[in-house]
Amino acid sequence: MLPWRRFPFFVYVIAVSGAAMFVPTFYGASVGDFASARLFLYCGVLILFSAVLIGLSLANRHVRGHARSHLLAIVATFVVLPAILCIPIVVRLPALSFLGGYFEMVSSLTTTGATVFSNPNVIPETIHLWRGMIGWMGGYLIVLAALAIMAPLDIGGFEIRSAIHGAQAGGANSGQRLLQGGDRLLRTARQLTPIYGGLTALLFLMLLFAGQDGFSAALTAMAVISTSGITHMSGPISGDSGMLVEMVIAVFLICAASGFVFDASRRRNPREVRRDVELRMLLSILMIVPGFLFIRHFIGAIEVEALGGFSQAFEAAWGLMFTVLSFLTTMGGQSAFWDTAQAWSGLETPGLLFMALAAMGGGVASTAGGIKLLRVYALYKHGIREMERLTLPNSVAGAGQAQRRIRREGAFIAWVFLMLFLLSIAVSMLALALTGIDMVTAMQLAVVSLSNTGPGVTLIMETPVLFGSLSSEAQLILCATMILGRLEALALIALFDPTFWRR
């Protein structure tokens, strides 16, 4: 085996982070921002050189607990790596504290998209490019970890699929399915990279043709595929480019939030794609919720006698649909036509509904956060069955063995995760309240952070909170909440399982 293939996973992550710093180096030099270019160049060389030295020193170290080491590496990546990634922006922006830079990088790496910058327009484009790249690489890391690490361990939503197929979720032998060393990670990375990079490149080209400039198109493409919503401007993610750009973004958002796009084992079978319950649920919600909101705004428009014709009604309907899709995929951006919908009816933003959509999240093995649609589907099927039993107590449910398993074992596991998710929100709320934040704001911040939907504060909150104005304690609590939401509580609880640590 080649020496570099024996490097720990965390070393690969540090090396890739160092190499990625050369991209803002070249961009900064091309636009005349030589101060940022030199800084990223020096940091990139230093980090890359350090990663090589650490890798060589650990190359001969034999790791026996592969499941433990890989899962711990993922935890260490989200906790430690932001402290390395924030060095260039902290040095480049002297007014930014180290904690503020750490918060910014945790938010980017977890694809949350919350920012401490109150006025993004005064920040150099090179820094915005670095933020967008970290969010994009964080989305890639999440999908890679889900397919190569969490799937064999039956966590991260895969425990529901194991229950459907009759396997015991999180069984004692699940960790043995990991290949030796980093073989499984490397094999998964070879399969994932062309898809993830290809979708980003295709979206970038389509946004260019739709009218966006090169820099905006690159940041928007990375923000959409990673569902981070990180851009260089405030307001709608499409800017002033019009409805065509939002339609293109919507198509790729559905792809990014659908796990079958990245999961080769599910994508090979066309029938599996057509029967994918997560995609069907996503499209169903995308039809039902905007329809409900449209009727709500339509009634409001009648009351104020401001229907405005078919054109304004269509713009309002599209603004509702795109915004709902954005929150459901945990990107949290708003449509450029959302203001049209509000002006059309004069009604306030339904913040609680958007919080529920963000908490619901996207598919398993996707870049979206939240509870995951597969778990929601399992609870939905169980609820339908329980209502049937209220009227017909002696009825026998059909639909096959897989459906019976998802109603029983799948719903039980999903319910456990839902309780852990709600408990995490409660603990985060109490911790934020201890820092002096009122309970309503604390609940909104907890949901936004745990579901990794940072830009959503502009619509969820009546008066959006500036993350940079929060206390140091509150920022640290939010950092921990973002990491917990990205890794999921079950993954962290697995570290406390005695059988998991047994050699």
Side-chain angles (χ1 to χ4, degrees):
M1 180 183 294
L2 297 175
W4 63 269
R5 300 194 66 175
R6 295 196 296 264
F7 289 176
F9 175 70
F10 188 62
V11 175
Y12 287 117
V13 175
I14 296 177
V16 171
S17 302
M21 290 187 178
F22 294 115
V23 176
T25 296
F26 294 133
Y27 181 80
S30 65
V31 297
D33 187 6
F34 296 106
S36 299
R38 285 194 299 268
L39 184 57
F40 277 101
L41 175 62
Y42 299 155
C43 291
V45 172
L46 179 61
I47 293 174
L48 193 58
F49 183 69
S50 301
V52 173
L53 292 181
I54 295 173
L56 291 176
S57 64
L58 298 177
N60 293 326
R61 180 173 176 265
H62 181 63
V63 181
R64 298 178 61 186
H66 300 298
R68 178 189 65 190
S69 63
H70 290 319
L71 194 54
L72 284 175
I74 291 295
V75 175
T77 297
F78 285 102
V79 175
V80 179
L81 187 62
I84 300 174
L85 299 175
C86 73
I87 295 176
I89 62 174
V90 171
V91 177
R92 180 66 177 87
L93 305 173
L96 182 66
S97 65
F98 179 80
L99 179 58
Y102 181 80
F103 178 92
E104 190 72 29
M105 289 296 99
V106 169
S107 175
S108 299
L109 191 63
T110 57
T111 71
T112 303
T115 180
V116 297
F117 302 130
S118 57
N119 187 8
N121 297 324
V122 301
I123 305 300
E125 288 187 350
T126 310
I127 302 298
H128 286 302
L129 177 61
W130 181 238
R131 294 174 57 236
M133 287 179 57
I134 295 303
W136 183 76
M137 291 189 296
Y140 176 88
L141 179 63
I142 286 300
V143 179
L144 178 64
L147 296 176
I149 299 175
M150 295 184 180
L153 292 174
D154 289 333
I155 53 180
F158 290 96
E159 69 277 4
I160 305 293
R161 298 193 181 279
S162 296
I164 294 174
H165 293 93
Q168 183 180 2
N173 296 326
S174 59
Q176 297 177 2
R177 283 180 276 169
L178 285 172
L179 299 179
Q180 292 294 321
D183 288 344
R184 184 182 181 90
L185 283 166
L186 293 176
R187 187 184 67 179
T188 305
R190 285 195 296 266
Q191 297 174 348
L192 177 62
T193 302
I195 301 172
Y196 193 82
L199 283 175
T200 308
L202 180 59
L203 177 56
F204 168 72
L205 293 176
M206 294 183 70
L207 291 175
L208 282 179
F209 291 136
Q212 282 196 338
D213 61 273
F215 184 75
S216 298
L219 280 185
T220 303
M222 291 189 292
V224 170
I225 299 302
S226 64
T227 66
S228 64
I230 299 175
T231 62
H232 64 297
M233 54 189 175
S234 56
I237 190 171
S238 61
D240 300 327
S241 302
M243 189 178 295
L244 178 60
V245 169
E246 290 191 356
M247 289 182 176
V248 173
I249 290 175
V251 174
F252 282 85
L253 264 181
I254 294 175
C255 294
S258 304
F260 74 87
V261 175
F262 303 114
D263 192 348
S265 61
R266 297 161 59 189
R267 193 177 59 253
R268 292 192 190 100
N269 188 357
R271 293 183 179 179
E272 188 73 18
V273 176
R274 290 195 299 267
R275 294 181 298 183
D276 189 86
V277 295
E278 292 178 327
L279 180 60
R280 290 161 57 188
M281 175 161 279
L282 189 150
L283 295 177
S284 299
I285 295 173
L286 191 56
M287 295 293 105
I288 296 172
V289 176
F292 165 77
L293 291 175
F294 182 80
I295 294 174
R296 175 178 180 267
H297 285 269
F298 181 81
I299 295 174
I302 292 178
E303 292 176 354
V304 299
E305 298 180 355
L307 289 175
F310 174 79
S311 176
Q312 192 171 5
F314 178 75
E315 290 180 356
W318 171 254
L320 294 169
M321 182 175 295
F322 182 86
T323 305
V324 166
L325 175 63
S326 178
F327 273 85
L328 185 60
T329 57
T330 68
M331 187 178 71
Q334 69 182 72
S335 170
F337 300 95
W338 173 255
D339 293 336
T340 302
Q342 284 191 301
W344 190 52
S345 63
L347 298 178
E348 297 180 354
T349 300
L352 186 61
L353 178 60
F354 286 137
M355 289 172 59
L357 289 171
M360 192 176 300
V364 176
S366 70
T367 55
I371 297 173
K372 304 299 184 185
L373 290 173
L374 185 60
R375 296 189 178 105
V376 176
Y377 177 77
L379 294 173
Y380 163 76
K381 296 299 291 185
H382 178 72
I384 293 297
R385 175 56 187 156
E386 288 300 312
M387 286 190 292
E388 290 176 353
R389 293 179 62 183
L390 288 176
T391 56
L392 299 171
N394 297 324
S395 64
V396 178
Q401 187 177 25
Q403 289 295 322
R404 287 195 295 270
R405 284 173 176 167
I406 198 172
R407 288 192 297 262
R408 294 196 302 263
E409 293 87 348
F412 174 76
I413 299 172
W415 180 256
V416 170
F417 179 84
L418 178 62
M419 291 299 100
L420 290 174
F421 189 86
L422 296 178
L423 180 62
S424 301
I425 292 177
V427 172
S428 301
M429 285 176 53
L430 293 176
L432 290 171
L434 292 176
T435 65
I437 301 176
D438 63 274
M439 290 300 294
V440 174
T441 304
M443 180 186 66
Q444 293 168 336
L445 289 175
V447 173
V448 164
S449 302
L450 200 63
S451 62
N452 306 117
T453 318
V457 295
T458 57
L459 289 185
I460 289 177
M461 296 183 177
E462 184 177 353
T463 304
V465 171
L466 299 177
F467 291 96
S469 64
L470 299 176
S471 63
S472 300
E473 295 79 8
Q475 289 184 2
L476 286 174
I477 293 170
L478 291 178
C479 285
T481 306
M482 287 186 287
I483 295 173
L484 176 62
R486 189 74 273 185
L487 291 175
E488 298 190 354
L490 288 177
L492 298 180
I493 291 176
L495 294 175
F496 296 94
D497 185 3
T499 60
F500 183 77
W501 290 86
R502 191 171 299 153
R503 291 184 179 270

